[in-house]
C-alpha cells in the first residue's frame, strides 16, 4: 500500500502563487518593522490544494485555506483573528471537513477558540492498548505472504491493525486573565465527540482477522462500546503564556494544566464517566537571536477517577490545539515515526525536542516568507494502563484452550515491559507572515516494534 501524502511541490507552488492580501481600493505605501518585514494589515489569505493518493482509499483531492486578519497591523506578527477551513476526500469514500477559529482579540482580554470537525476514515490504525504490552501477533506472515507466493499478482495486504472510524468533534474554549497576574489566565471549555467504529469494509480486507475483532470477541472491548458512542466534556484549567509569538515563537514559556470531566450520558449512558488531568509545558529557548531556537515540550495525561470507553483512549484533552488531530500517542502530533495510535492507555507521558533554524528570510508577492529546518526527537510511553487485567485474562484463556505443546501466539498480551517509544527525524517549514506554516516532517521510530519505515507528514503548523 502506498502511503497517502500531500504533494509537497504543489503545496509550495500554491503557497507562493495564491497567498494574497484582500485588494484595497486605496493602495497605501508599504510599512516595514525593524526587522525589514512588511507589516501586514487587514485580511490575508493562504489557500492550498490538497492532493494525494492511497491505493486503498483512492485519490485525495480538496482544498484548505488559512484566513488571517491583522487589523491595523499594530500587533503584527500577531493576528486579531484566524480561521481555517479544510475540505478534502478520497475517491473511495474517506474524507475530512473542518472549520476552526482562533480569536484572541474579538472580546477585550478574552481569547475564543472553536473547532468543528468531521472526519471519516475507512482505514484507521489500531495497535491495541498499553504500548509494548499489547499483543505482537500479526497474521500477515502466515496468511498474506503464502497467498502472494501462490499468486504474485494478488493485491492483498494485511488489515489486522486497522478499523473503520468516523468522528464528529466540537471544541469550544474561552481564556481570560487570572486576576492581574502577568501572563496567567484561566480557561474553560466544552467539547463533544461522537465516534463510530467497526471492522474494515474495504474490498481487499473483507473477511480478514483483525486485532479489533479479537478484542471485541474476548471482551477487552465491551459490547456497549464496540461500535463507538458519544462523550461530552467540561474543561477547566490555567494557562501561563509568556511567548513572544503564538505561531512561531522564538522565546518564552507556554504551560497549561487542565481538568477534564467526561460523561457519556448524552450517547447511551453506559457509565463511562471520568475525571482526567492534563499538563503540558512548552519552552522556547533562544540560542542565537531569533534565528536559532531550541524548543521542547513535556506532557502528561492521567486519569484521576472513573472509566474511559476504548474509543476515547487516544484523545488528548487540550483546550486549544494547532493540528487537526489531537490524538496519540504516535503519529504526526505526538511521536513522528511511531505508529499512529500505537501507544494507548489511561495515562501517558510525552516529550518532544526540536532545534529550529530560520535559515532563509525573503519577501515574495508582497508577503514575508521564512524557511526553517527543524531536526527533532520525540518520546513517550504509557504510565497508566488501560484494561491490562482483561488483556492478561484473555491471553491466559486463549493459551489454556490450545492443545498441549502447541506454541501460543501473543494475540492479546505480549508480557513485555512498557518503556519509552522514541523517534527522530527532521522537518522543514515554509512560513508566511510568521503565521501560516506549511510543515513537512519526516521521522522514523527507533524501535522496530513501533514501525519500520520512514514516515512523512505534510500539514499546517508546528506540533507545539
Amino acid at each position: 500500500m502506498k502511503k497517502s501524502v500531500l504533494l509537497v511541490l504543489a503545496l509550495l507552488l500554491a503557497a507562493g502563487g495564491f497567498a494574497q492580501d484582500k485588494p484595497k481600493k486605496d493602495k497605501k505605501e508599504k510599512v516595514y518593522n525593524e526587522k525589514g518585514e512588511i507589516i501586514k494589515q487587514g485580511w490575508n489569505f493562504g489557500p492550498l490544494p490538497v492532493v494525494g493518493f492511497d491505493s486503498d482509499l483512492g485519490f485525495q483531492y480538496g482544498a484548505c485555506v488559512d484566513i488571517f486578519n491583522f487589523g491595523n497591523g499594530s500587533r503584527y506578527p500577531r493576528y486579531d483573528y484566524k480561521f481555517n477551513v479544510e475540505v478534502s476526500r478520497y475517491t473511495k469514500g474517506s474524507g475530512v471537513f473542518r472549520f476552526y477559529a482562533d480569536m484572541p482579540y474579538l472580546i477585550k482580554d478574552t481569547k475564543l477558540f472553536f473547532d468543528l470537525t468531521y472526519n471519516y476514515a475507512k482505514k484507521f490504525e489500531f495497535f491495541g492498548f498499553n504500548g509494548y504490552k499489547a499483543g505482537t501477533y500479526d497474521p500477515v506472515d502466515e496468511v498474506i505472504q503464502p497467498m502472494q507466493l501462490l499468486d504474485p499478482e494478488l493485491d492483498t495486504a494485511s488489515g489486522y491493525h486497522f478499523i473503520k472510524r468516523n468522528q464528529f468533534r466540537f471544541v469550544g474554549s474561552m481564556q481570560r486573565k487570572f486576576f492581574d497576574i502577568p501572563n496567567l489566565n484561566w480557561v474553560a471549555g466544552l467539547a463533544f465527540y461522537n465516534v463510530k467504529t467497526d471492522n474494515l469494509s474495504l474490498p481487499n480486507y473483507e473477511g480478514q482477522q483483525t486485532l479489533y475483532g479479537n478484542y471485541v470477541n474476548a471482551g477487552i472491548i465491551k459490547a456497549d462500546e464496540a461500535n463507538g458512542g458519544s462523550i461530552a466534556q467540561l474543561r477547566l484549567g490555567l494557562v501561563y503564556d509568556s511567548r513572544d509569538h503564538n505561531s512561531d515563537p522564538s522565546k518564552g514559556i507556554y504551560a497549561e494544566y487542565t481538568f477534564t470531566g467526561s460523561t457519556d450520558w448524552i450517547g447511551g449512558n453506559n457509565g463511562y464517566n471520568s475525571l482526567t488531568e492534563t499538563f503540558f509545558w512548552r519552552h522556547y529557548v533562544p540560542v542565537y537571536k531569533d534565528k536559532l531556537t531550541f524548543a521542547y515540550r513535556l506532557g502528561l495525561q492521567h486519569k484521576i477517577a472513573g472509566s474511559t470507553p476504548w474509543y476515547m483512549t487516544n484523545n488528548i484533552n487540550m483546550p486549544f490545539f494547532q493540528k487537526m488531530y489531537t490524538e496519540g500517542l504516535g503519529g504526526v502530533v505526538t511521536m513522528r515515526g511511531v505508529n499512529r495510535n500505537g501507544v494507548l492507555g489511561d495515562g501517558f507521558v510525552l516529550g518532544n525536542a526540536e532545534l529550529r533554524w530560520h535559515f532563509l528570510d525573503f519577501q515574495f508577492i508582497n508577503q514575508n516568507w521564512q524557511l526553517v529546518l527543524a531536526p527533532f526527537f520525540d518520546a513517550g510511553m504509557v504510565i497508566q494502563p488501560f484494561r491490562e487485567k482483561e488483556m492478561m485474562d484473555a491471553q491466559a484463556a486463549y493459551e489454556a484452550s490450545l492443545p498441549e505443546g502447541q506454541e501460543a501466539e501473543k494475540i492479546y498480551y505480549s508480557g513485555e515491559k512498557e518503556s519509552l517509544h522514541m523517534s527522530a527525524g527532521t522537518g522543514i517549514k515554509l512560513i508566511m507572515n510568521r503565521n501560516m506554516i506549511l510543515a513537512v516532517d519526516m521521522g522514523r521510530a527507533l524501535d522496530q516494534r513501533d514501525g519500520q519505515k520512514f514516515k512523512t507528514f505534510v500539514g499546517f503548523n508546528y506540533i507545539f
Side-chain angles (χ1 to χ4, degrees), residues 224-298:
D224 61 13
E225 60 175 351
N227 295 117
S230 296
I231 291 291
Q233 295 183 334
L234 172 65
R235 296 169 177 169
L236 299 171
L238 293 174
V239 171
Y240 177 86
D241 188 359
S242 64
R243 297 172 298 172
D244 60 341
H245 188 255
N246 53 352
S247 298
D248 182 28
S250 60
K251 61 180 179 180
I253 292 172
Y254 180 92
E256 62 182 33
Y257 184 77
T258 309
F259 285 104
T260 300
S262 302
T263 180
D264 73 337
W265 64 268
I266 294 179
N269 198 23
N270 293 314
Y272 295 110
N273 307 307
S274 63
L275 178 63
T276 304
E277 59 180 345
T278 306
F279 174 72
F280 277 97
W281 171 279
R282 311 180 202 168
H283 192 188
Y284 306 90
V285 183
V287 178
Y288 177 71
K289 299 181 179 180
D290 61 353
K291 299 296 184 183
L292 188 63
T293 302
F294 175 68
Y296 69 92
R297 174 176 68 173
L298 302 175

Side-chain angles (χ1 to χ4, degrees), residues 127-136 335 338-339 342-344 380-382 391 410 412-423 445-451:
F127 290 90
F129 305 129
N130 306 322
Y132 292 137
K133 293 182 179 182
T136 57
M335 294 184 291
V338 172
N339 289 327
V343 189
L344 304 181
M381 64 180 289
V382 172
M391 293 167 60
K410 300 297 184 182
Y412 308 103
Y413 189 72
S414 70
E416 298 180 17
K417 182 180 179 181
E418 173 65 335
S419 58
L420 278 177
H421 304 252
M422 297 177 284
S423 64
L446 302 186
D447 190 311
Q448 291 189 354
R449 292 175 294 176
D450 293 316

Side-chain angles (χ1 to χ4, degrees), residues 378-397:
D378 302 331
M381 64 180 289
V382 172
I383 59 170
Q384 191 177 24
F386 179 80
R387 297 182 186 169
E388 183 177 3
K389 183 180 184 302
E390 288 86 340
M391 293 167 60
M392 296 173 65
D393 290 345
Q395 182 67 29

Side-chain angles (χ1 to χ4, degrees), residues 303-457:
K303 187 185 73 176
I304 299 172
S307 60
T308 304
W310 86 273
Y311 54 84
M312 290 297 290
T313 56
N314 65 340
N315 196 65
I316 301 176
N317 300 318
M318 297 186 293
F320 313 106
F321 39 87
Q322 295 174 275
K323 309 289 279 188
M324 181 174 66
Y325 293 104
T326 55
E327 301 175 330
L329 299 182
V332 65
V333 298
T334 53
M335 294 184 291
R336 293 155 287 186
V338 172
N339 289 327
R340 183 183 178 197
N341 299 314
V343 189
L344 304 181
D346 263 337
F348 66 82
V349 291
L350 172 67
N352 308 101
E354 293 186 351
L355 190 62
R356 300 174 180 176
W357 174 35
H358 293 68
F359 66 91
L360 180 63
D361 296 346
F362 62 98
Q363 293 176 358
F364 177 60
I365 59 168
N366 199 36
Q367 311 293 334
N368 304 302
W369 300 87
Q370 293 179 315
L371 277 172
V372 179
L373 188 67
F376 62 81
F377 173 79
D378 302 331
M381 64 180 289
V382 172
I383 59 170
Q384 191 177 24
F386 179 80
R387 297 182 186 169
E388 183 177 3
K389 183 180 184 302
E390 288 86 340
M391 293 167 60
M392 296 173 65
D393 290 345
Q395 182 67 29
Y398 159 69
E399 293 180 3
S401 69
L402 296 176
E404 185 177 352
Q406 181 175 333
E407 183 179 355
E409 301 285 356
K410 300 297 184 182
I411 296 178
Y412 308 103
Y413 189 72
S414 70
E416 298 180 17
K417 182 180 179 181
E418 173 65 335
S419 58
L420 278 177
H421 304 252
M422 297 177 284
S423 64
T426 191
I428 188 166
K429 323 292 180 185
L430 175 66
I431 303 175
M432 185 183 77
N433 298 325
R434 298 288 302 278
N435 286 288
M436 195 195 83
I437 302 172
L438 176 64
V440 181
D441 289 306
M442 296 162 286
R444 182 167 184 168
L446 302 186
D447 190 311
Q448 291 189 354
R449 292 175 294 176
D450 293 316
Q452 301 181 25
K453 297 180 180 179
F454 256 103
K455 298 182 180 181
T456 302
F457 310 94

Side-chain angles (χ1 to χ4, degrees), residues 73-139:
S74 61
R75 298 187 181 96
Y76 181 82
R78 292 184 180 271
Y79 50 80
D80 286 8
Y81 324 120
K82 175 184 177 180
F83 306 99
N84 176 274
V85 180
E86 177 177 343
V87 178
S88 64
R89 72 182 305 274
Y90 291 90
T91 52
K92 294 184 181 180
S94 298
V96 173
F97 300 90
R98 187 194 188 199
F99 169 80
Y100 84 81
D102 183 12
M103 299 174 287
Y105 300 108
L106 182 65
I107 302 174
K108 184 179 179 181
D109 298 327
T110 302
K111 173 185 173 73
L112 298 176
F113 177 86
F114 298 98
D115 177 279
L116 187 66
T117 300
Y118 177 68
N119 56 74
Y120 52 104
K122 291 191 174 182
K123 193 176 181 189
F124 188 78
E125 297 91 334
F126 176 61
F127 290 90
F129 305 129
N130 306 322
Y132 292 137
K133 293 182 179 182
T136 57
Y137 173 71
D138 188 337

Side-chain angles (χ1 to χ4, degrees), residues 92 121-123 162-164 198-207:
K92 294 184 181 180
K122 291 191 174 182
K123 193 176 181 189
F162 293 96
I163 62 171
K164 177 183 177 181
D198 206 342
N199 274 308
L200 286 175
S201 57
L202 294 171
N204 286 350
Y205 304 98
E206 289 181 351

